[in-house]
Amino acid sequence: MSALTEALDAAKADGRAALIGYLPVGFPDVEGSIRAMVAMVEGGVDIVEVGLPYSDPGMDGPVIQRAVEPAVRAGVGPRDALLAAKAVANTGAAAVIMSYWNPIEHYGVDRFARDLAAVGGAGVITPDLIPDEAAAWFAATDAADLDRVFLVAPSSTDARIISTVEACRGFVYAASTMGVTGTRDNVGTAAADLVARVRALTPDAVVCVGLGVSNGDQAAEIAAYADGVIVGSAFVRCLLDAPTPAEGITAVRRLARELAGGVRRRASV
Amino acid sequence: MTSTASAAPASAAPESPFVSEPDATGHFGEFGGRFVPEALVAALDQLTDAFHSAQADPAFRTRLSDLLRDYAGRPSILTEAQRFSEHCGGARILLKREDLNHTGSHKINNVLGQALLVQRMGKTRIIAETGAGQHGVASATAAALLGLECVVYMGEEDTQRQALNVARMKLLGADVIPVTTGSRTLKDAINEAFRDWVTNVDSTHYLLGTAAGPHPFPLMVREFHRVIGVEARAQMIERTGRLPDAVAACVGGGSNAIGIFTAFVGDPGVQLLGLEAGGDGLETGRHASTITGGSLGVLHGARSMLLQDENGQTIESHSISAGLDYPGIGPEHAYLAQTGRASYRSITDAQAMTAFALLCRTEGIIPAIESAHALAGAMELGKELGPDASILVCLSGRGDKDVDTAAAYFGMPTA
């Protein structure tokens, strides 16, 4: 069983949703980003999404773009993401890499899967790779025994939800809204509707919800129906808004605690 | 060297003509496909269905060809450039005059086709990316004609360099949004358009301006530009009595080139030559030559050739021509290059500007700097093929928009 599935199962055994936190490696620098990821784990994140910075992040909103652009300019790449995944795995939390497809393809599909497994990484989320184009990725992740996470969206047809869930290992990422990453005041009903559709079509699916979640209340709301709650831009904003790197890390830890409280709130209701 | 259509092949067994068609999911060999967020798949499927049903609908085809004739001014004429030919080793040079279309370039062909599809899909808003502004102006034009809302994304730097085209788009009723992310150029305008599309996909069509991006865009944009080659092929036969020895076109994303190549792909005697923007020269690393100086990868929704660094990050391209200043290329060009059916060369800024000046002074035609790359390619190729050859050049756009750039390049004082 992968570290990812272990973390999701452990949360489930706790009667709660898992908390998944995203940060890109390389912001403010590689070392600082790894410290922030470890702080997320200390604050209560179960699974860390290590973002691999990319020059053309078509699914990301302005907050993540602002953090990723300087990392790209500084030459941060796959090796740094592997380093961060290793550091996260060493804390005992599950480490998955979130990456657009080209950096993986350019690094070498098989090599990337092998190297990530070798540092203790559990899997990869690929926001612009759909299963239709993923034959080589299936083979590589099977060979390296890595989880692979694809996305479903409110616009996905029933047939695509079924085939995408079947292609996933670990969990399926449900995009809460039609749009890009970023904090939102209200994640709306689209997420609950989508998760309900996924569960109706594929009852055994493990479904985690992302896009727009920024605080404990929203986390509690989504934890009521999803297996995991994914938070990205709100963590990145902690680092962007902090006057000093140290204060950024404190803010990340504080947000993780709040969100960890959110995903547990339902259990106590 | 000068093979002709009328000359029978030497071998007894006729070779089957080369075919360049994508599979059902948009792959030209290993190139193309869809590398997009799942959220866009439904819209791309809807677009694919709408495109195929429109192509099979005589009423749609009639409406489009009427617009192309009565609004865009097609067919565009073929002009023999006799004085320019003297600088091309004496080879006959014939110009397909896309510069004379309404809005001043080939872009109007694709824009009218897609805008009619937008109506067919019941959408009311179009978004478009633009570099130099030609596709943005064409999109704003079609939106005005058909009563659609239009938003154009343009890199902030380009909005300053191409202020005239920004004003044109605004006069036509479009909103122009300067893009301040990333490198603030065309590639970032495309990223921003994709972000808008994924957020507003129910009401909005992304009117992509080149034969790149996820399926069905490369196929669809080619088909809407196919008219360039179909007209030119008939005009060449009528004018010269045979097919050309070569067809030359500039290639950024590759829409005018694929539009003119497509009619000749099955003609084995016709050499297809794509001219990429070489900027300061391939060896300097400051260029936009993706086939001659790039590598295999995925950008903006498709697998093709692109400029990238060792981490798979897109490298900024460089060209004096804003319309060719793009680090990617449409997947069918990558396929035509890999199979050898078309060849691609890199033309430096200096070569392009030499050809630009020459066409102005020998023919009285100010070409777009993009098209000047094709002219420079014809100058090279004409010298190689010799005086018996005829070369068809796609003059994809006019140079009014480039007057400031050219004046600055040649050190001419402007008012």
Side-chain angles (χ1 to χ4, degrees), chain B residues 189-241:
Chain B
I190 294 175
N191 292 335
E192 210 52 38
F194 271 115
R195 290 179 188 119
D196 180 317
W197 200 27
V198 78
T199 308
N200 302 298
V201 71
D202 284 342
S203 68
T204 298
H205 172 66
Y206 180 13
L207 210 163
L208 188 63
T210 192
H215 179 64
F217 285 107
L219 171 66
M220 181 175 67
V221 174
R222 178 190 85 185
E223 290 304 307
F224 287 141
H225 282 307
R226 175 188 284 273
V227 62
I228 306 172
V230 168
E231 287 175 6
R233 193 172 183 281
Q235 289 166 324
M236 284 299 296
I237 291 170
E238 190 195 348
R239 187 75 58 87
T240 69

Side-chain angles (χ1 to χ4, degrees), chain B residues 1 12 35 54 56 95 112 129 133 140 157 161 163 171 187 189 244 254 315 328 337 346-347 356 406:
Chain B
M1 191 68 217
F35 293 82
L95 308 176
L112 289 173
E129 84 294 342
E157 283 196 27
R161 286 189 297 202
L171 285 171
K187 87 172 175 70
I315 296 174
S346 185
I347 296 292
F356 175 96

Side-chain angles (χ1 to χ4, degrees), chain A residues 53 55-57 69 102 105 133, chain B residues 34 182 195 298 303 313-314:
Chain A
S55 52
D56 296 272
E69 278 174 18
N102 196 53
E105 182 161 300
E133 298 283 355
Chain B
R34 280 181 184 167
R195 290 179 188 119
V298 169
R303 179 176 286 118
Q313 313 288 2
T314 312

Side-chain angles (χ1 to χ4, degrees), chain A residues 17-173:
Chain A
L19 177 61
I20 303 167
Y22 162 96
L23 280 173
V25 68
F27 185 81
D29 52 35
V30 172
E31 202 186 316
S33 64
I34 292 175
R35 270 210 294 275
M37 290 175 202
V38 172
M40 280 201 303
V41 176
E42 290 164 358
V45 161
D46 303 295
I47 298 157
V48 175
E49 266 183 40
V50 175
L52 201 169
Y54 178 50
S55 52
D56 296 272
M59 245 200 91
D60 284 309
V63 172
I64 291 179
Q65 288 176 48
R66 265 173 63 205
V68 160
E69 278 174 18
V72 169
R73 274 200 301 277
V76 174
R79 283 169 203 81
D80 303 296
L82 293 168
L83 199 66
K86 183 176 185 174
V88 169
N90 285 344
T91 66
V96 296
I97 285 181
M98 162 76 107
S99 178
Y100 290 88
W101 184 242
N102 196 53
I104 294 176
E105 182 161 300
H106 196 70
Y107 186 88
V109 172
D110 292 326
R111 180 177 162 222
F112 188 83
R114 260 197 325 269
D115 289 358
L116 179 57
V119 298
V124 185
I125 303 169
T126 47
D128 63 344
L129 181 71
I130 54 176
D132 320 45
E133 298 283 355
W137 186 231
F138 290 152
T141 46
D142 284 349
D145 204 16
L146 277 183
D147 288 338
R148 52 178 181 252
V149 175
F150 298 101
L151 279 68
V152 292
S155 62
S156 300
T157 60
D158 288 355
R160 288 196 64 83
I161 288 177
I162 292 167
S163 62
T164 302
V165 168
E166 197 175 308
C168 290
R169 193 162 54 212
F171 67 88
V172 61
Y173 188 128

